[in-house]
Amino acid sequence: MDVDSNQGRMGAYLRDHQDKVVSRWTELVVAGLRGRSSAAEVRRELEDLYSLVIRAMSGADVQAAGELRAALAELSRSRARNGFTPSETALAIFALKDAVYELVADTTDLMPEYLAFSRTIDDLGLHTFETYATAREQVIADQAASMLELTTPVIRLWDGIIAVPLVGTLDSVRTQLVMEKLLETLVATGAEHAVLDITGVPTVDTEVAQHLLKTVSAVRLVGAECIISGIRPQVAQTIVALGIEFGDIATKASLADALAHALSRTGHKIGTA
Amino acid sequence: MEELPIRTGNDVVRVRQQVRAVAAESGLSLVDQTKLVTAASELARNALVHGGGGMARVDVVTSGAGKPGVRIGFTDDGPGIADVDQALTDGWTSGGGLGLGLSGARRLVDEFELNSKPGSGTSVVVVKWSR
Ligand SMILES: Nc1ncnc2c1ncn2[C@@H]1O[C@H](COP(=O)(O)OP(=O)(O)OP(=O)(O)O)[C@@H](O)[C@H]1O
Ligand SMILES: [Mg+2]
């Protein structure tokens, strides 16, 4: 008996017992998801998959196998995005084996067909795992990217004065992002003063210094002036020992000092509280 | 005590974090912690950028007078440094940098030992003592 005819008989069997198998399959999957999806929701998902399994199993339908894989990939991706574990995700497909086995166990003459079916499901299960892993990696990459966005806001401090509070590691990717957002805002608002606040940058080494110097030069090219603020005492001492020179760039201990400095340059006067 | 690989930019961040934790635990002042972490950042990045990757090793040590300190060793199997004096000159860079990492790191620590020969990699060991 070759695999194809095994699959054909299994396909027919699955079609004849559709309601029983899907009900049991749904039960098993719902139990494994610990109440995070309703039975009706799961049943709808599984019914779609089931009709694809039948079509794929009946052998004749070449497209069905591809559609089944695509449907499973979609299911894995949505499970990965919604925080389901890999085993909870793979359960959706592996539980079909149990559901079918419980029925087939009584009709011993279907055993060879069941084994072939079981191998196919194992294959699909692995496929589910792989898609799940890829989807999770994508989720993590997206989160990292949005963190990057989140941690580089450009804030309007005053008329003509904007600030960028830098937090964390200032590598070249971050610097590029900060520079683009900063220059865009400067040009869009016509602001003439930009404050780069490094209170949240734990280490200022030659790499960070170079990135700051580059940003300052770019800001000057669009006709604005930069002030670097948030230089804590221990960082100031380290910068001096390292030999980094900020030249004629205004540097201030705090964001408040930087704002006062920029205001006095724009002709505003503020009193001290 | 801790061997850390230096193969990516993230590894340099990890070295900094490890040095900061050990330096704080050993009772270094905030200024000395910051100086040591910055020196470590320079030397780790040199191992990565110029040495093609390497290792860092962070140890807690005790001076002859019984004072605690932190010692960090960096090693790489890169091309090595042909002219060490030139490399240690403020502002000298073989390309693109400020040329302050190596000379600056030496000023940031209490002990600094550099061993390098062309073709046989580079090793730098630094120590910062608590005051
Ligand atoms: N581990 C190393 N292996 C090989 N060459 C090195 C190594 N460390 C430093 N050098 C050489 O010494 C030069 C000076 O190093 P230094 O760290 O002072 O400057 P830099 O790395 O070029 O720039 P930066 O100021 O950004 O650190 C480097 O340009 C490089 O040619
Ligand atoms: Mg360097």
Side-chain angles (χ1 to χ4, degrees):
Chain A
M1 222 186 292
D2 64 306
V3 174
D4 278 356
S5 65
N6 277 346
Q7 289 207 336
R9 277 190 69 192
M10 200 64 208
Y13 182 87
L14 291 177
R15 196 174 313 113
D16 294 345
H17 296 79
Q18 166 141 8
D19 198 53
K20 250 188 168 166
V21 175
V22 172
S23 296
R24 183 65 186 132
W25 189 15
T26 307
E27 248 173 64
L28 290 170
V29 172
V30 169
L33 294 181
R34 289 164 301 150
R36 277 197 285 167
S37 299
S38 74
E41 216 177 310
V42 171
R43 190 175 174 112
R44 217 174 314 119
E45 268 175 2
L46 296 187
E47 267 170 354
D48 289 346
L49 286 180
Y50 195 76
S51 59
L52 285 169
V53 170
I54 292 175
R55 278 172 55 202
M57 284 278 157
S58 65
D61 195 337
V62 212
Q63 265 182 8
E67 277 177 46
L68 176 57
R69 280 178 171 260
L72 275 175
E74 195 35 61
L75 182 77
S76 312
R77 274 194 287 271
S78 96
R79 292 270 155 96
R81 277 195 296 267
N82 292 316
F84 287 81
T85 68
S87 19
E88 284 166 344
T89 305
L91 174 77
I93 188 74
F94 284 134
L96 175 58
K97 288 206 308 188
D98 295 336
V100 174
Y101 184 78
E102 286 169 17
L103 283 177
V104 170
D106 304 329
T107 48
T108 37
D109 69 313
L110 262 174
M111 261 312 144
E113 288 82 352
Y114 175 77
L115 285 179
F117 165 75
S118 169
R119 267 196 300 277
T120 310
I121 296 298
D122 286 346
D123 255 10
L124 292 171
L126 284 181
H127 172 66
T128 315
F129 261 120
E130 268 166 35
T131 332
Y132 176 91
T134 321
R136 279 307 275 182
E137 276 160 26
Q138 188 57 47
V139 169
I140 292 166
D142 290 350
Q143 281 170 348
S146 61
M147 276 288 286
L148 208 60
E149 289 278 358
L150 269 179
T151 50
T152 49
V154 176
I155 301 165
R156 185 171 155 269
L157 275 189
W158 208 268
D159 235 6
I161 305 169
I162 56 179
V164 190
L166 296 165
V167 179
T169 312
L170 192 60
D171 57 18
S172 39
V173 179
R174 278 285 294 285
T175 308
Q176 189 58 37
L177 201 78
V178 168
M179 208 177 321
E180 277 168 21
K181 278 179 95 174
L182 180 56
L183 296 179
E184 264 173 34
T185 313
L186 283 172
V187 171
T189 61
E192 288 189 344
H193 293 275
V195 183
L196 294 175
D197 188 83
I198 58 168
T199 309
V201 179
T203 309
V204 180
D205 59 6
T206 59
E207 189 190 37
V208 171
Q210 257 197 307
H211 290 322
L212 289 173
L213 292 171
K214 255 187 240 163
T215 308
V216 172
S217 317
V219 166
R220 285 185 171 163
L221 279 176
V222 299
E225 265 310 306
C226 243
I227 303 163
I228 298 175
S229 73
I231 304 182
R232 289 157 295 152
Q234 66 272 25
V235 171
Q237 291 186 53
T238 304
I239 289 175
V240 170
L242 206 47
I244 295 167
E245 284 169 19
F246 283 120
D248 58 347
I249 302 162
T251 53
K252 296 287 165 197
S254 71
L255 188 55
D257 293 341
L259 177 59
H261 180 81
L263 282 173
S264 74
R265 278 208 208 156
T266 53
H268 290 83
K269 281 214 177 65
I270 47 163
T272 37
Chain B
M1 192 181 86
E2 290 271 356
E3 288 262 0
L4 301 162
I6 307 170
R7 271 182 238 105
T8 65
N10 278 339
D11 289 341
V12 176
V13 176
R14 229 162 276 133
V15 169
R16 284 204 296 259
Q17 285 167 347
Q18 178 69 24
V19 170
R20 189 180 297 281
V22 174
E25 225 171 86
S26 315
L28 262 65
S29 70
L30 189 55
V31 173
D32 286 344
Q33 286 175 36
T34 308
K35 287 183 173 177
L36 184 63
V37 169
T38 307
S41 183
E42 294 301 340
L43 298 171
R45 187 157 329 89
N46 279 354
L48 176 68
V49 174
H50 306 297
M55 296 288 287
R57 197 193 145 97
V58 187
D59 287 295
V60 176
V61 288
T62 311
S63 74
K67 277 189 303 184
V70 180
R71 180 178 66 205
I72 321 168
F74 299 86
T75 49
D76 66 63
D77 299 317
I81 303 173
D83 187 339
V84 171
D85 286 339
Q86 187 184 47
L88 277 165
T89 304
D90 274 357
W92 192 86
T93 174
S94 57
L98 293 175
L100 290 172
L102 205 55
S103 50
R106 182 162 66 166
R107 283 189 293 269
L108 288 170
V109 296
D110 297 320
E111 289 174 29
F112 181 97
E113 198 186 309
L114 187 150
N115 279 297
S116 184
K117 268 198 221 101
S120 54
T122 300
S123 111
V124 184
V125 179
V126 298
V127 183
K128 190 93 187 159
W129 299 112
S130 79
R131 272 159 238 289

